[in-house]
Amino acid sequence: MIRATLFTLTATTALGSATMCAYAQDDVVELDPIILSGGLTPIPQTAFGRSSTVIDSEALEQQNERYVADVLRTVPGVSVSRSGSFGGLTQVRIRGHEGNHTLVLIDGVEVNSVDQGEFDFGGLVTADIDRIEVLRGPQSSIYGSNAIGGVISITTKRATTPGFSTTVEADVGSDETFGGLIAVRRGFEQGGLSFSASHRDTGGFDVSGSGGEDDGDQNTTLNFTGDYEFMPGFRVGGTLRSVNRRSDFDDFNFGAPTTDGLVTDSDNHTDVDDLFGSAFAEVDAFGGRLANRVGLTYAKTDRESKNDGTPTADNSGERVTLSYLGTVALDTPTVASARQTMSFAVQYEEENYKENNPDIVFDPGQLSRRERSQAGYVLEYRGSFDVGLDLQASVRYDDNDEFKDFTTYAVGLSQMLPNATTRLHASAGTGVQNPTLIEQFGFFDDFQGNPDLEPEQSTGFDIGFEQIFAGGAGLIDVTYFQEDLTDTIGREFVPETERFQPVNLDGTSHRRGVEVTGAYIISDAFDVSLAYTYLDATEEVPTEDGGTRDVVEVRRPEHELYLQGTYRFPNDQTSVNVGIQYVSGLYDLDFKTASFISGEFDDDFDRVKLDDYTLVDVSFRHDFNELVTLTGAINNLFDQDYQELEGYATQGLVAYLGLTATF
């Protein structure tokens, strides 16, 4: 019972979730936490050999953050870079990988952009999100390309009980910020329907830091999910999500003589329309020994940017994915009761992309729609044994129409020791990252594609232990990881065309480090948690004498620590949460040294070290009753002046106050 209970704390170690208070009582309820995205089928977290963090709905409520990116800052192994105000381009890197090395799923639909293979977290608000799962390390053996660094899987809220329910939320805050949500759900014995509509508008602040006009963000998100079980063993469902947003940004000036001159005030904005959808059917066969699932997902993004009224981007991209998954029980009559299973999956994916404005591209041919496709074949074995050992092994073969075909693999082990308080876990695997459509075809007037690129490749492993202590009141998990990346895609200047071109770089990028998570229930009223990451990320770059040298990777802090404490008042209605984030060893490219003169350009920019910083956030929650809740937050309590990217100003002290009603 202790094992299952405290492993639930691992899911929220970095969050200090209110969930913990339930486990501080004398009457402990045994739970079985599940990782939905851990493989081809959900897997108990106690059996999962790979590094992961699960952030549940109670943890999200306690954090009281408005954007998912700010929640992810509390997760070990994850670094976040936002270019300016809320809504600005926000990159998330896992274990030192690039932003487009992180696969992002929302309700099972891949939402990474088709053109650059990266998801912009600037437009993802926390409204109506129920759960966030973060898988660290190469996940290509299950998910293929884009999962070379890890996976972030997000699940929206669903109807959980029969009957109607309605939730209404509203909040106001600094920088002329206001937001609202209305969600309507209908639950049945056989399934449910959920619909939500949220809007968030912030006036923002001047990201150039020069005192110019504020750079704001407007975001409207509609989300629908539904499923229905027509008969035992036969269920269908689907999702539909629409995001419409406008985000302001300022000009970035390469080669500016000073840091203050890198970002200058300007009237720029980007309009983005996203549409994501899915449909699925699940059918059991042979009395439940074989579980089958067929699925279809669709993603479309339209993007348009203007700088002082002049169009600078106007493009459209689509992705369609068909999949089949079968899982067979190896040791029992049904998959639901099996301790050993074999799953097999087939996935076919088509992507297309086009530029829409002839004034932006360098060749009229770039206005043509470019397409590519790939098929993936996956086999996964899972076994749970009486000696406390759980094993996961998977292999995937990708058949690409444009690139070299690849086979990737992964193995995960989880061993609970006889004392029932110590768990060892380890994993190893490979990853692959296909060139993006931009890298393959170009599309821009200063950038030409390279159809001869090779996919990037990664190998890595991690090993760690998890220890329950203080009679079940505390838990600590320590993991060491190491990964190497080859065939890294960089860029070079081509004098003949006076344009940049992507190329596979020589050398190896090394990423290694330590992740620590911990939680301790001090009393029924007070608990604390921590998440710490040490990261040593370097890449090999060529030298003038034909050799190579290692340089630090940028926008990946060497040290990142997050501490959190939650106090619940005796009235059992009010709680206060304090979060402290410390970041050091953060570098960025020194764009002041860049030269774009033909023949003199050197893509090995000098690095500049940004100042270390500490941020303090405070939030509270008060439940008037079971239906109405008051929330509030102060972010950057001490108005810390800091930078995540050189040249970009960051948010000062801001405060929010919100009200939620459910009926």
Side-chain angles (χ1 to χ4, degrees):
M1 182 178 297
I2 291 177
R3 169 189 170 189
T5 302
L6 264 185
F7 209 92
T8 302
L9 298 190
T10 305
T12 54
T13 293
L15 286 307
S17 162
T19 305
M20 286 197 233
C21 69
Y23 310 122
Q25 314 302 322
D26 293 333
D27 296 324
V28 178
V29 178
E30 183 171 1
L31 302 177
D32 188 18
I34 298 293
I35 300 178
L36 302 177
S37 56
L40 292 179
T41 57
I43 182 172
Q45 192 170 24
T46 52
F48 196 46
R50 316 194 74 179
S51 296
S52 64
T53 297
V54 181
I55 307 167
D56 62 16
S57 59
E58 292 180 80
L60 289 169
E61 291 172 358
Q62 192 67 51
Q63 281 270 302
N64 200 21
E65 295 287 1
R66 271 64 181 172
Y67 290 86
V68 170
D70 295 316
V71 176
L72 293 173
R73 296 178 192 275
T74 69
V75 177
V78 176
S79 56
V80 179
S81 302
R82 177 187 284 131
S83 58
S85 184
F86 294 121
L89 175 63
T90 305
Q91 297 178 298
V92 172
R93 296 175 171 87
I94 298 180
R95 288 185 172 175
H97 280 269
E98 294 296 340
N100 67 346
H101 291 178
T102 299
L103 177 69
V104 182
L105 306 170
I106 299 180
D107 290 331
V109 180
E110 180 181 351
V111 295
N112 295 56
S113 68
V114 174
D115 55 345
Q116 300 189 57
E118 181 173 350
F119 180 70
D120 178 9
F121 279 86
L124 185 57
V125 295
T126 56
D128 208 38
I129 288 179
D130 183 64
R131 179 184 178 97
I132 302 173
E133 299 181 356
V134 181
L135 309 180
R136 296 182 287 276
Q139 311 290 328
S140 293
S141 65
I142 296 293
Y143 293 101
S145 183
N146 288 350
I148 192 171
V151 173
I152 297 175
S153 179
I154 295 166
T155 304
T156 58
K157 293 182 178 179
R158 313 293 172 89
T160 57
T161 57
F164 274 105
S165 67
T166 302
T167 299
V168 179
E169 297 178 0
D171 71 275
V172 296
S174 306
D175 298 333
E176 300 179 349
T177 297
F178 64 89
L181 164 78
I182 182 168
V184 180
R185 301 182 178 90
R186 175 68 165 95
F188 311 94
E189 292 292 343
Q190 300 88 354
L193 299 172
S194 297
F195 171 78
S196 68
S198 68
H199 179 76
R200 187 153 199 83
D201 193 319
T202 178
F205 63 96
D206 176 26
V207 303
S208 73
S210 63
E213 68 172 356
D214 292 337
D215 301 293
D217 177 62
Q218 298 83 43
N219 183 306
T220 301
T221 300
L222 308 177
N223 201 76
F224 170 81
T225 64
D227 69 288
Y228 192 82
E229 187 177 37
F230 286 94
M231 62 182 69
F234 177 49
R235 186 167 69 104
V236 300
T239 67
L240 189 63
R241 182 179 181 86
S242 170
V243 182
N244 176 272
R245 62 190 184 100
R246 168 170 287 199
S247 302
D248 300 331
F249 64 97
D250 286 336
D251 286 336
F252 190 86
N253 307 298
F254 293 95
T258 64
T259 298
D260 290 341
L262 285 173
V263 182
T264 52
D265 186 54
S266 185
D267 182 19
N268 306 335
H269 69 266
T270 296
D271 292 311
V272 179
D273 290 307
D274 291 326
L275 181 65
F276 308 114
S278 70
F280 70 86
E282 296 177 343
V283 181
D284 291 343
F286 304 109
R289 181 176 288 273
L290 175 63
N292 302 276
R293 178 186 173 100
V294 292
L296 168 68
T297 66
Y298 175 77
K300 181 180 180 181
T301 296
D302 293 309
R303 182 186 296 106
E304 184 176 1
S305 296
K306 291 184 178 181
N307 292 16
D308 290 325
T310 301
T312 56
D314 185 356
N315 50 65
S316 304
E318 292 179 299
R319 178 187 297 110
V320 179
T321 306
L322 295 169
S323 62
Y324 165 77
L325 167 64
T327 301
V328 60
L330 300 180
D331 61 335
T332 63
T334 65
V335 171
S337 61
R339 300 186 66 192
Q340 297 192 51
T341 61
M342 184 71 75
S343 297
F344 45 94
V346 179
Q347 181 187 75
Y348 177 76
E349 179 180 275
E350 287 188 352
E351 296 178 319
N352 67 74
Y353 174 85
K354 70 184 295 290
E355 286 288 339
N356 302 316
N357 191 329
D359 296 330
I360 297 175
V361 300
F362 68 86
D363 188 312
Q366 299 301 318
L367 296 172
S368 301
R369 186 175 299 275
R370 303 288 184 166
E371 300 178 347
R372 71 184 189 191
S373 63
Q374 71 170 20
Y377 308 90
V378 189
L379 190 65
E380 181 185 38
Y381 166 80
R382 288 187 189 164
S384 181
F385 304 93
D386 291 335
V387 294
L389 175 67
D390 292 279
L391 168 67
Q392 309 93 44
S394 55
V395 61
R396 176 179 174 122
Y397 175 74
D398 282 307
D399 182 6
N400 297 296
D401 68 339
E402 298 287 343
F403 308 109
K404 179 181 177 181
D405 299 339
F406 268 95
T407 299
T408 52
Y409 71 86
V411 177
L413 296 170
S414 174
Q415 176 67 63
M416 180 62 69
L417 299 186
N419 61 14
T421 61
T422 306
R423 187 178 74 97
L424 308 179
H425 54 85
S427 68
T430 58
V432 63
Q433 180 76 23
N434 287 337
T436 67
L437 281 160
I438 294 294
E439 293 165 342
Q440 183 180 357
F441 296 111
F443 295 107
F444 304 131
D445 57 1
D446 63 346
F447 189 82
Q448 66 187 51
N450 183 356
D452 298 323
L453 289 170
E454 293 285 339
E456 297 174 304
Q457 302 179 62
S458 176
T459 59
F461 72 89
D462 58 43
I463 184 169
F465 72 92
E466 174 189 276
Q467 181 64 53
I468 297 171
F469 62 93
L475 179 146
I476 187 168
D477 187 291
V478 179
T479 301
Y480 171 81
F481 66 87
Q482 181 172 315
E483 297 180 21
D484 294 323
L485 180 71
T486 58
D487 291 325
T488 303
I489 296 176
R491 64 176 185 173
E492 66 179 8
F493 187 77
V494 182
E496 293 78 11
T497 61
E498 295 187 351
R499 296 187 179 95
F500 298 107
Q501 175 179 272
V503 294
N504 289 110
L505 303 177
D506 295 329
T508 302
S509 295
H510 304 284
R511 297 166 172 87
R512 58 206 65 198
V514 177
E515 297 160 347
V516 181
T517 58
Y520 186 63
I521 301 171
I522 297 175
S523 69
D524 289 355
F526 186 46
D527 54 64
V528 295
S529 64
L530 69 86
Y532 168 72
T533 306
Y534 164 72
L535 175 66
D536 178 17
T538 60
E539 62 176 329
E540 293 180 352
V541 299
T543 58
E544 295 181 356
D545 60 4
T548 62
R549 64 186 178 93
D550 288 338
V551 296
V552 64
E553 293 262 38
V554 300
R555 303 181 180 182
R556 303 151 172 87
E558 181 181 15
H559 300 281
E560 196 160 8
L561 174 66
Y562 188 83
L563 298 172
Q564 183 163 279
T566 301
Y567 178 76
R568 287 164 290 279
F569 287 81
N571 62 13
D572 202 30
Q573 294 176 283
T574 309
S575 62
V576 175
N577 185 78
V578 178
I580 303 173
Q581 181 189 24
Y582 171 72
V583 174
S584 71
L586 178 61
Y587 288 81
D588 200 0
L589 296 174
D590 188 357
F591 293 101
K592 302 184 297 296
T593 65
S595 172
F596 288 83
I597 302 174
S598 177
E600 296 183 10
F601 176 77
D602 180 3
D603 199 27
D604 174 24
F605 295 108
D606 290 334
R607 269 66 172 168
V608 57
K609 185 179 184 302
L610 305 182
D611 291 339
D612 302 343
Y613 60 88
T614 301
L615 303 179
V616 178
D617 297 335
V618 178
S619 64
F620 79 89
R621 177 183 179 89
H622 176 74
D623 298 320
F624 290 106
N625 49 50
E626 294 181 352
L627 303 179
V628 181
T629 299
L630 177 69
T631 61
I634 300 176
N635 294 340
N636 196 358
L637 178 64
F638 298 106
D639 201 23
Q640 173 76 53
D641 184 17
Y642 68 102
Q643 286 188 329
E644 292 183 341
L645 307 173
E646 193 191 21
Y648 284 95
T650 50
Q651 190 83 54
L653 184 151
V654 292
Y656 304 98
L657 194 65
L659 196 66
T660 300
T662 301
F663 50 89

